[in-house]
Every structure is written in C-alpha cells, then in structure tokens.
Amino acid sequence: QVQLVESGGGLVQAGGSLRLSCAASGRTFSRYGMGWFRQAPGKEREFVAAISWSGGSTNYADSVKGRFTISRDDAKNTVYLQMNNLKPEDTAVYYCAAVIGGIRATMVGAYDYWGQGTQVTVSS
C-alpha cells in the first residue's frame, strides 16, 4: 500500500508557473505508475498527465501538452508536475494517483491510490 501527499498548489496569475509535488510512502514507489488528475467545481475528475513506473514514458492531456511536465524522482519517492503558462481554465483541485506497474494510464478507475488533493487557482 502507498500513501500520497500533494503539495505546491496556490494562487497564481495567468501566464505564471507552479510545481506540484506528490510524496509517496513505502519502499516500492519505483514499481508504481503515477498520474496527475484535476477536478474543477461541478465537473468530473479528468486526466492531466501520467508517467510509467520506469519513468521512461509519459502521457499528457491535449489541454496541457507543451505547458505541463510530469517527472519522478524515485530516490525521493516523489512525482512532480511542472505547470507553465497557466490559464484560468487550469483552476482545479489537483490529485496524484498511483497504480502498481502502471504505464501512463489515463482512466480514473485504473488507479488504486489517491492523495487528498491540492488547490490550484489561476487568476485572469
């Protein structure tokens, strides 16, 4: 089992940047594929980015391609989401998720473990 804790959210102006972090407990972090999702008020949770357990493969939602970058540091049991050129429509609660052996999964139901979320608000 793995526990996930997100951090790094906040309020930023449009065009700005934030880096989200997701710290995982446990000694088998390197075996987990990791994903970032987001949920805006009144909307369903949606896929943002994913990285394979090996770190060799990534996947992004079309809406964030070229602006967001997912990465992982297995020595620190942490996955990151670097968000650049933020837009007001990026405002949401951002969640990280984990699935053992995962390879860039994009579906909410594919993940077994979830963090509590961190709020990102982008002002225009």
Side-chain angles (χ1 to χ4, degrees):
Q1 190 166 352
V2 62
Q3 292 182 327
L4 305 172
V5 179
E6 302 96 334
S7 62
L11 174 64
V12 63
Q13 289 188 333
S17 298
L18 283 174
R19 188 176 80 157
L20 305 183
S21 299
C22 174
S25 65
R27 296 177 294 175
T28 59
F29 176 73
S30 62
R31 297 172 59 189
Y32 286 84
M34 302 297 295
W36 285 98
F37 291 75
R38 66 187 181 187
Q39 188 166 17
K43 295 188 176 181
E44 293 187 352
R45 192 168 298 190
E46 65 175 6
F47 170 75
V48 175
I51 188 166
S52 63
W53 63 270
S54 69
S57 181
T58 58
N59 195 11
Y60 297 93
D62 288 342
S63 59
V64 307
K65 280 181 182 176
R67 300 188 298 122
F68 291 12
T69 303
I70 188 171
S71 62
R72 64 188 297 155
D73 184 340
D74 289 349
K76 296 182 178 180
N77 278 16
T78 301
V79 63
Y80 303 98
L81 185 68
Q82 178 66 43
M83 305 186 295
N84 298 328
N85 190 22
L86 282 160
K87 303 176 181 181
E89 52 263 42
D90 294 318
T91 295
V93 177
Y94 283 70
Y95 299 89
C96 72
V99 56
I100 195 162
I103 303 177
R104 308 183 307 153
T106 64
M107 303 292 288
V108 170
Y111 289 85
D112 297 319
Y113 304 101
W114 292 84
Q116 83 290 346
T118 186
Q119 177 70 48
V120 171
T121 303
V122 185
S123 63
S124 57

